[in-house]
Amino acid sequence: MSQIANEPASLSPVAVSRPVSLGNFGAMLLLALVWGLSISVTKLGLITMPPLTLTAIRFAVAIPFMMLLLIGKEPLPWKALPAVASLGVLGIGVGQVAQTFGVAGTSASIGTILSATIPLFIVLFAMIRLKQAVSISQIVGVVAAFAGIVVVASENAGDAGVAGTTALGPIWMLVSALAVAFYYVWSVELTNRYGTVVVATWSTVFGFVALVPWAGWEAHHTSFELTGQALGAAAYLGLAVTAAGLFLWLRILRDVPASIAASVQYLQPVFGIAASAIMFGDKIGPQFLAGVALILAGLAMALRVRSPKQGDAS
């Protein structure tokens, strides 16, 4: 993976006018699939393992593979340590931990709807912090895609869904959505300066270090069973979702504006609910298909880019 420290394309408003390549679109679809399975896989792991312990094992699995990718890379400057460490604590200590508690405290359908707010927050933070331009059609597309998520998820949001949701579960999911969205937008600035691999790896290490004492306390005070299913879930979350997924997402953000990249992630809950149907027996019927159609229509609008006119200042 090459380091493109001097090409901060995604920090520029001009990026919104550049077409999305077939390769980048394929990468976004793959990432939506990988991340879409994460909630269902997390629920499998939480059957026998408490939240902090599962999260800690997940990152313990991911970090050794991420460290291998540092070979041959420029070391992280000392002046960057506070920012990268804070990024890791935010993304893992707040974002991922809150998500695990949220998944444990919500039904699959309600958790899906709330996790789908991440792209909305990414677009908002990108507009504010990265000064990225967002067109009206993209905003309408994002809203339409989110409406499709509500349609898809509500098919399984009956009495069982409400019964599976605690008072704090939705709050944890929203806290996670805010933290994760800001983590990804903030990552763009740091990766432009120090490289994707370096920032992603060290932020994960710092986040894991902050998590370990809490996970140790939980493991000491909570009885749990270390099953093959739980370890398999932690391995998938660590290798596919964390290591491979994080690098893929950060690389996408280097070439694709956050408003467009985030909109494709609305397919993530579609894959997730399909996985829940296989794993937990959730329903997939006409309402699911109607919601998917609405999501795809929203994506089609969100992916439209404005051709720059001659003489445009931007």
Side-chain angles (χ1 to χ4, degrees):
M1 216 175 271
S2 60
Q3 191 169 314
I4 314 177
N6 296 319
E7 296 180 15
S10 50
L11 290 178
S12 171
V14 180
V16 76
S17 300
R18 190 169 58 194
V20 178
S21 69
L22 183 61
N24 281 328
F25 183 69
M28 288 186 283
L29 287 179
L30 175 61
L31 189 58
L33 172 61
V34 171
W35 281 353
L37 297 176
S38 64
I39 288 182
S40 296
V41 172
T42 300
K43 278 192 170 293
L44 285 178
L46 289 172
I47 292 175
T48 59
M49 191 178 297
L52 294 179
T53 304
L54 177 64
T55 306
I57 294 177
R58 164 186 179 173
F59 288 104
V61 169
I63 287 174
F65 291 92
M66 298 172 77
M67 294 296 288
L68 290 176
L69 296 176
L70 288 178
I71 298 174
K73 302 294 181 183
E74 291 292 329
L76 185 70
W78 285 103
K79 65 179 182 180
L81 284 180
V84 173
S86 299
L87 182 71
V89 172
L90 174 68
I92 295 177
V94 179
Q96 297 301 330
V97 169
Q99 184 181 78
T100 306
F101 277 111
V103 170
T106 59
S107 67
S109 299
I110 294 175
T112 295
I113 294 174
L114 295 175
S115 68
T117 61
I118 293 176
L120 286 175
F121 293 132
I122 289 177
V123 172
L124 175 63
F125 291 149
M127 291 173 61
I128 296 173
R129 190 172 182 88
L130 303 183
K131 311 300 181 184
Q132 288 186 352
V134 179
S135 69
I136 296 297
S137 66
Q138 288 171 338
I139 294 175
V140 173
V142 167
V143 173
F146 182 75
I149 293 299
V150 176
V151 172
V152 166
S154 62
E155 186 169 36
N156 290 287
D159 293 337
V162 174
T165 300
T166 66
L168 289 177
I171 296 176
W172 280 118
M173 291 299 294
L174 286 176
V175 169
S176 171
L178 284 166
V180 170
F182 191 76
Y183 169 87
Y184 287 130
V185 173
W186 188 8
S187 295
V188 176
E189 299 178 74
L190 293 173
T191 56
N192 281 328
R193 297 173 190 167
Y194 308 115
T196 300
V197 173
V198 173
V199 171
T201 299
W202 284 113
S203 65
T204 301
V205 170
F206 286 120
F208 175 70
V209 169
L211 171 63
V212 166
W214 298 101
W217 179 89
E218 178 190 68
H220 181 69
H221 290 83
T222 306
S223 60
F224 62 92
E225 187 177 356
L226 201 62
T227 64
Q229 176 177 289
L231 290 176
Y236 177 83
L237 294 171
L239 296 178
V241 177
T242 302
L246 181 59
F247 289 137
L248 184 57
W249 173 249
L250 293 177
R251 297 302 291 183
I252 289 170
L253 283 182
R254 299 292 294 274
D255 299 319
V256 180
S259 57
I260 295 177
S263 65
V264 176
Q265 292 307 305
Y266 276 116
L267 285 175
Q268 176 182 327
V270 174
F271 294 126
I273 290 179
S276 293
I278 296 173
M279 297 179 184
F280 307 114
D282 286 357
K283 295 183 299 181
I284 292 184
Q287 186 172 329
F288 176 86
L289 298 178
V292 171
L294 184 56
I295 292 169
L296 293 176
L299 291 180
M301 296 187 67
L303 287 170
R304 289 179 59 189
V305 292
R306 178 179 59 85
S307 299
K309 298 179 181 179
Q310 188 173 3
D312 276 357
S314 58

